[in-house]
Amino acid sequence: MRKNKMFKMIGLSVITAGLLVGCGGSSTTTSNTSNISGAVLKGPFDQSTITLYDAEGKEITSTTSTEGEFKLTKFDLTSDYYTVVTTGGSYEDEQTKQTVSMSGTEGLKTLLTKAELSAMITNSEYIAMTPETTIFAELVKERLDAGDDLATATTKAETLVQDLLIKSSSPVGSLQSSDKLLKKGNLVKAGASSATIALAKNRAISFSNLMQDLGLAPDKVFDIITKIKDDIKDGTEDGIDLDDDGTVDVKASEATSNARDALFTQTTNRLMSGDLSDAEREQLESLGFDVNASRATATSERSARDANLTAEIDKAKNSSTLPALNILKTMTDEDGDLTDAQATYTLTAKTDVNVTINTPEGSWITPMWRYNDEQLPVIIRTNRGNAMTLRLDNQLDSNSTIHWHGFKIPAIMDGGPDVPVLKNTIKDYTFTMQQPAAPLWFHPHPDMETGKQVYMGLAGVFLLEDDISKGLEANKKLPSGAKDITLLVQDRRFAPEANGVRELQYKTMAMDSDGMLGD
């Protein structure tokens, strides 16, 4: 989910500090116009063959990388453009710490025009190779094959990568302009000499988070890079079919954004726990980020929250007046026919629904956002194979969507931030549930407001049944009827009571940027 502006601003400072594992190495330069150094980063590629090809695909020269760095020597610039390709070698995956072996296959690549490569040689700059330069190089080749001239092909390819992968996942702040496709720079050198390099490191290493998010083995990353390229090549995201079963699973922009957010969260956790090297701390300070003050504030707030939580738990344990269990309401199919293979439900999103909160210490009213004026989130229960019509009536004061979390449905019906439902408008989501029985859920996913709208109360449960689950229930191998109870656990922070009302508090502490926690 996308973060709000304050969250991204803090993340920007952390990310641009180059807080990225596996980025050691030394710097070498050369003044020989037939020599150039380079750096290849997913994790740093070691013992990988680095080959330079001309525009005709002819091998010009090759070398071997050491801890991500390489040097190509003894070649003349006679071609309009050149590609640099890695083959074989290995790297350490940042998330799993597994050694990923490429086993003689192609890994990363980049494409440089003759003018770009000549200028980099003259200025003793490094060739940068990352998953993004790989996507860029492949897009350029496809545009050239389609008949574009070199200038048009490179411009189109760079625009696609910038707009659909980088810009869509970029943090908000004064350094956003530095978050751009990088084809030159030493990305495996410790630290970061510029915000552009630091952000490029972040994006490259976030591909490790991407594979973890998608539930795929690290060595499948090169397949995913190709799938991402195929998803964005026409300028419209059709989505990525992760397991080649014919079903779109995720959009390229959403997948890369989630991966960068995941890496940001890990980095923020390291900041708050004090697990930063001196070099990382110095880099943060140089960007105007007060590491000590930030950590001290977060530590103080966490201590206060933990003490309050302990007190609340003690109250509940010692209470003899625990509130009754609230049972979520199951909605009724609106088409009136419970025997057909279709179902219709309307979800009207509203603010200021007065919800009664019951606790061992008494009750109060809290205005929350709800569907259909209900006190609690609702349940939709349906069968596999049913054609669904799910209508969102957005009566909020802002855009919203319904994201069907865990559903295998067409991307256009997924309810992502790219297809907003404007305030005071209605949208029908239509699809057929062709997947096994599962407990699923749904929530809003508007751009920059996902967290807030869910926190304020917009969420629901979607229970999908099939013949297998019904058979298990009939044979008493799964609970059913009154014993089949759906629990939805939520965490909230409330303001002090005023005239019987306690408002929800959202992002009122500095540490909330590390993940919003209630009390």
Side-chain angles (χ1 to χ4, degrees), residues 264-329:
F264 159 76
T265 300
Q266 292 171 343
T267 305
T268 305
N269 288 340
R270 292 178 57 218
L271 167 64
M272 298 309 180
S273 65
D275 184 24
L276 296 179
S277 67
D278 289 342
E280 291 167 339
R281 292 172 62 88
E282 290 173 4
Q283 182 69 26
L284 281 175
E285 297 287 1
S286 71
L287 292 170
F289 190 77
D290 193 335
V291 175
N292 292 327
S294 176
R295 187 186 174 206
T297 300
T299 300
S300 175
E301 290 180 351
R302 182 177 284 114
S303 296
R305 186 201 70 210
D306 290 348
N308 183 61
L309 181 58
T310 299
E312 292 295 326
I313 292 173
D314 288 341
K315 285 181 183 179
K317 289 167 63 177
N318 297 325
S319 175
S320 59
T321 58
L322 290 176
L325 176 65
N326 288 312
I327 303 299
L328 305 185
K329 178 180 179 180

Side-chain angles (χ1 to χ4, degrees), residues 92-354:
E92 182 182 83
D93 180 70
E94 286 79 12
Q95 290 302 310
T96 65
K97 303 304 179 184
Q98 296 178 9
T99 297
V100 179
S101 175
M102 274 76 82
S103 302
T105 60
E106 285 190 1
L108 301 183
K109 60 184 66 175
T110 190
L111 185 145
L112 299 164
T113 65
K114 178 180 179 181
E116 287 176 323
L117 189 54
S118 177
M120 291 167 66
I121 292 171
T122 299
N123 297 324
S124 299
E125 295 172 311
Y126 271 64
I127 296 172
M129 300 177 69
T130 65
E132 288 168 348
T133 66
T134 305
I135 295 169
F136 165 78
E138 290 293 336
L139 290 172
V140 172
K141 286 291 190 69
E142 291 186 3
R143 295 311 313 165
L144 290 172
D145 290 342
D148 285 352
D149 59 64
L150 181 60
T152 301
T154 55
T155 299
K156 286 182 178 179
E158 186 164 349
T159 299
L160 288 172
V161 173
Q162 188 67 37
D163 289 351
L164 295 183
L165 295 184
I166 300 177
K167 185 178 179 180
S168 66
S169 64
S170 183
V172 175
S174 60
L175 295 179
Q176 186 174 2
S177 61
S178 300
D179 202 10
K180 58 188 177 183
L181 176 66
L182 186 71
K183 292 186 281 183
K184 60 184 181 181
N186 188 348
L187 300 182
V188 299
K189 184 180 180 181
S193 59
S194 69
T196 298
I197 287 180
L199 290 164
K201 283 186 176 186
N202 165 262
R203 297 193 305 269
I205 290 176
S206 70
F207 271 73
S208 177
N209 297 79
L210 172 64
M211 301 308 291
Q212 192 171 68
D213 290 347
L214 298 178
L216 299 175
D219 61 358
K220 300 296 184 183
V221 68
F222 305 107
D223 294 336
I224 295 302
I225 288 172
T226 299
K227 289 177 185 258
I228 289 175
K229 180 266 297 181
D230 290 338
D231 189 21
I232 70 172
K233 64 183 180 181
D234 61 355
T236 302
E237 293 182 274
D238 303 308
I240 302 172
D241 182 0
L242 298 176
D243 50 10
D244 298 316
D245 64 352
T247 302
V248 170
D249 296 290
V250 66
K251 292 183 179 180
S253 60
E254 181 179 351
T256 53
S257 177
N258 289 343
R260 291 187 73 182
D261 282 347
L263 181 57
F264 159 76
T265 300
Q266 292 171 343
T267 305
T268 305
N269 288 340
R270 292 178 57 218
L271 167 64
M272 298 309 180
S273 65
D275 184 24
L276 296 179
S277 67
D278 289 342
E280 291 167 339
R281 292 172 62 88
E282 290 173 4
Q283 182 69 26
L284 281 175
E285 297 287 1
S286 71
L287 292 170
F289 190 77
D290 193 335
V291 175
N292 292 327
S294 176
R295 187 186 174 206
T297 300
T299 300
S300 175
E301 290 180 351
R302 182 177 284 114
S303 296
R305 186 201 70 210
D306 290 348
N308 183 61
L309 181 58
T310 299
E312 292 295 326
I313 292 173
D314 288 341
K315 285 181 183 179
K317 289 167 63 177
N318 297 325
S319 175
S320 59
T321 58
L322 290 176
L325 176 65
N326 288 312
I327 303 299
L328 305 185
K329 178 180 179 180
T330 299
M331 296 180 66
T332 302
D333 182 359
E334 295 172 10
D335 68 9
D337 186 349
L338 301 181
T339 64
D340 62 2
Q342 58 187 15
T344 303
Y345 297 94
T346 298
L347 294 161
T348 302
K350 292 184 177 182
T351 62
D352 298 323
V353 177
N354 287 330

Side-chain angles (χ1 to χ4, degrees), residues 2-23:
R2 301 297 303 277
K3 309 297 186 291
N4 67 13
K5 184 174 181 179
M6 178 181 72
F7 190 75
K8 286 291 190 179
M9 282 290 287
I10 297 174
L12 181 61
S13 297
V14 176
I15 291 169
T16 54
L19 305 181
L20 308 168
V21 296
C23 293

Side-chain angles (χ1 to χ4, degrees), residues 408-424:
K408 284 185 170 291
I409 56 177
I412 192 64
M413 292 294 158
D414 188 52
D418 52 331
V419 188
V421 181
L422 304 182
K423 63 180 181 180
N424 298 319

